[in-house]
Amino acid sequence: MKFQIDHDYHIHSNLSPCAKDPEQTPQGILRYAEKNGLKQICLTDHFWDTAVTPALGYLSGTYRNNDLACIRSALPLPQSERTAFHFGCEGEMDLSFQIGISPAVIKQMEFVIIPTTHLHMPKLTVPEELTLEQRAILYVHRLNALLEADLPAGKTGIAHLTCSLMAPKNWPDHLRVLEMIPDTVLTHLFRKVRERDFGVELNFPVERYSPEELQTVLRPYFIAKECGCRFYLGSDAHTQKECEGAPERFERMVDSLDLTEENKYRPFT
Ligand SMILES: [Zn+2]
Ligand SMILES: [Zn+2]
């Protein structure tokens, strides 16, 4: 059976400092889910746990003032008969490959997603200047570090693995970085993803790529599929407008990878 579009496990509310839409509230998000027949959704606001000292010694931008009390202020999440609304977060990995969520706080989350491709935050996640070759090496090291981290099997998602933030200066740069990582290395990493029972997030702007570019973006996901990894959908919506565009993008991603229900990651069942 074809992979059903019935969930979204990467959604921000306007508690995330980068989400400024006043309508992007838990209620607004639940309405989006109900309208589109999503049975399970998860709130994943940006979060750094103050119990973990970042390598930089202080936090900046997105992670300043986004502590546990802030993201928990969304609770209790509204529920409906058709949609279960779960509570999680989008954590972070810093420059020293440290994950910014303490074990005690992980236990309070129904689902945790960690990005390895937020390479747009100088000093917090990356050194000031890096070549594309260095970014490709860092991509591999960060993903490998995530796969060694103390995170729960069946409840951990790897966010936007092909995100353009890995090389944010010029749009095509992230494609060049992805091309530099050999199949053998990706195979090694995705076998580990399968072993750890982490989920692979489907979250890329499929409509923005030319057919050739799309092949570059799809290659890691095809290798993940080959390795037996399982996938979940993440809109990464920060606004109601982004929510609206999500279902069509979900369909196109699932079709491009020819996924079935057996390929689905199920953190809530
Ligand atoms: Zn992210
Ligand atoms: Zn996000």
Side-chain angles (χ1 to χ4, degrees), residues 10 12 46 90 236 238:
H10 186 164
H12 296 268
H46 291 293
E90 179 173 13
D236 208 356
H238 288 62

Side-chain angles (χ1 to χ4, degrees), residues 37-156:
L38 305 181
K39 294 183 188 135
Q40 312 248 25
I41 56 172
C42 188
L43 188 67
T44 53
D45 279 309
H46 291 293
F47 171 63
W48 185 281
D49 185 353
T50 49
V52 180
T53 307
L56 184 59
Y58 62 89
L59 291 167
S60 59
T62 303
Y63 298 102
R64 199 175 43 217
N65 306 325
N66 236 58
D67 60 8
L68 189 60
C70 172
I71 64 166
R72 281 185 63 89
S73 69
L75 298 175
L77 292 171
Q79 306 289 326
S80 78
E81 266 177 37
R82 281 173 290 169
T83 305
F85 201 162
H86 302 278
F87 180 71
C89 67
E90 179 173 13
E92 187 56 271
M93 177 187 280
D94 74 7
L95 192 59
S96 66
F97 303 151
Q98 177 180 229
I99 289 172
I101 315 179
S102 61
V105 169
I106 285 176
K107 287 201 187 92
Q108 299 181 39
M109 301 285 164
E110 292 181 80
F111 188 48
V112 170
I113 61 172
I114 309 288
T116 55
T117 49
H118 277 177
L119 303 185
H120 61 303
M121 294 182 281
K123 295 198 181 123
L124 183 64
T125 58
V126 276
E128 211 80 57
E129 288 295 332
L130 286 177
T131 63
L132 297 187
E133 286 80 3
Q134 287 168 324
R135 285 178 183 273
I137 293 166
L138 192 55
Y139 180 106
V140 173
H141 281 286
R142 283 171 66 88
L143 185 49
N144 194 54
L146 177 67
L147 296 168
E148 302 288 325
D150 184 13
L151 291 162
K155 298 271 175 199
T156 300

Side-chain angles (χ1 to χ4, degrees), residues 2-7 36 38 202 204 206-207 218 233-234 245-259:
K2 186 183 160 182
F3 190 105
Q4 299 292 295
I5 309 299
D6 59 6
H7 65 279
N36 293 288
L38 305 181
L202 296 175
F204 50 91
V206 59
E207 72 287 349
L218 292 177
L233 301 162
E248 195 186 333
R249 188 178 276 181
F250 288 161
E251 284 287 354
R252 291 182 66 172
M253 289 191 293
V254 165
D255 287 348
S256 333
L257 290 160
D258 199 17
L259 296 177

